[in-house]
Amino acid sequence: MSVVIVIPARFASTRYPGKPLVELRGAGGQARSLIRRSWDAAVGVRGVDRVIVATDDDRIRDHALAFGAEVAMTSPDCRNGTERCAEAVATLGLTPEIVVNLQGDAPLTPAWFIEDLVAGLRADPHAQVATPVLRCTGAMRADLIADRHAGRVGGTTAVFGHEGRALYFSKEVIPFVPGDVAPDAPSPVFHHVGVYAYRPAALAEYATWPEGALERLEGLEQLRFLERGRHVRCVEVEARGRQFWELNNPQDVPRLEQMMQDMAMM
């Protein structure tokens, strides 16, 4: 087994309880749940051997089984999606080359984001983890800033150094950019796409560490790797004309539905 995608999903989200079962209407008017759309995105990725929904909730389990997904039940004590992925892999006794965590709130993730992510981790023998980043246009950056001014977490940004090694991730919009950026122009801000590729040893090790101080403050699970000095590789991906956003708050539902309309996604 080479690549396994795990989709962690929990019902008791602090910001948006029941989020995996929220329905999104596509361009044809058909409503599908967030977890179903995330599953559809995962099964469209080339080179993947297995896709698993990992949850601690019977409602999510029953819904996922009804549309044909494989489900692994995990503990309600998992503090984040990475811990849930680690438990699912251990419980099922899987031994893949790479484990991909496709978080269940990113149904617009194009298949090539994940394919490029896996290729990026394979190409960097020093990295234990890889995650995609997407360069923001001026308009995307403005949306992130507007969400923060409104008190909402609209997305996460990433800064990285030599050969893509991650320096920091934040729910603030970083780095600071003096002045405005034209809506269609590229900016120096990178939107972190909530997908991870792990080497199995790093994933198993992660689950043994306590929550880090920065991880707790930002609410960003990937910071635990950085706080432990592990090499996280940022892989820049290209939108290729696709719009991308994650479902973080109830206010994001009409935004995602409009994006699906614009891109003719059913």
Side-chain angles (χ1 to χ4, degrees):
M1 190 177 297
S2 180
V3 178
V4 172
I5 294 180
V6 180
I7 306 173
R10 67 187 183 105
F11 193 89
S13 169
T14 303
R15 292 199 304 270
Y16 199 168
K19 182 168 68 170
L21 300 182
V22 169
E23 292 192 334
L24 297 173
R25 292 193 178 276
Q30 183 177 18
R32 292 180 184 169
S33 67
L34 180 63
I35 190 66
R36 172 64 189 272
R37 290 190 178 278
S38 298
W39 169 268
D40 290 342
V43 298
V45 179
R46 295 175 299 178
V48 171
D49 300 283
R50 198 165 170 180
V51 178
I52 300 156
V53 172
T55 187
D56 60 0
D57 189 272
D58 292 344
R59 291 162 290 188
I60 295 173
R61 177 200 62 196
D62 294 345
H63 176 69
L65 289 173
F67 64 73
E70 179 181 359
V71 178
M73 294 302 291
T74 53
S75 168
D77 297 329
C78 292
R79 289 169 291 190
N80 57 47
T82 299
E83 289 191 3
R84 200 170 302 283
C85 286
E87 183 177 327
V89 169
T91 299
L92 295 173
L94 304 180
T95 57
E97 174 201 1
I98 291 172
V99 178
V100 173
N101 171 354
L102 175 60
Q103 304 203 58
D105 57 6
L108 303 188
T109 306
W112 64 85
F113 279 21
I114 302 174
E115 293 161 4
D116 289 352
L117 175 65
V118 169
L121 183 58
R122 281 178 169 150
D124 187 346
H126 303 293
Q128 289 92 43
V129 184
T131 192
V133 293
L134 179 66
R135 185 182 290 274
C136 289
T137 62
M140 290 174 64
R141 173 177 170 268
D143 284 344
L144 291 170
I145 292 171
D147 275 342
R148 295 304 297 125
H149 287 170
R152 296 189 298 269
V153 177
T156 298
T157 57
V159 290
F160 48 91
H162 183 62
E163 295 183 348
R165 183 162 184 167
L167 299 175
Y168 197 63
F169 299 89
S170 182
K171 288 178 179 175
E172 294 293 349
V173 182
I174 57 174
F176 168 75
V177 180
D180 294 327
V181 179
D184 293 332
S187 83
V189 173
F190 283 84
H191 186 171
H192 172 239
V193 180
V195 185
Y196 304 94
Y198 317 100
R199 301 196 193 278
L203 180 60
E205 189 178 30
Y206 179 97
T208 69
W209 298 328
E211 184 181 44
L214 294 173
E215 174 191 6
R216 187 180 309 111
L217 286 169
E218 291 268 12
L220 295 174
E221 63 205 86
Q222 68 270 33
L223 290 176
R224 195 182 307 182
F225 285 112
L226 294 187
E227 290 185 85
R228 292 278 172 165
R230 298 308 189 265
H231 186 145
V232 178
R233 168 80 179 272
C234 290
V235 178
E236 186 174 355
V237 293
E238 296 181 357
R240 302 183 192 174
R242 283 280 295 270
Q243 299 181 62
F244 177 81
W245 201 259
E246 296 157 350
L247 184 57
N248 295 298
N249 310 283
Q251 296 91 336
D252 291 325
V253 171
R255 178 182 287 178
L256 264 71
E257 289 182 332
Q258 184 60 56
M259 288 180 173
M260 288 190 288
Q261 291 283 340
D262 295 344
M263 296 184 289
M265 290 181 63
M266 305 299 287

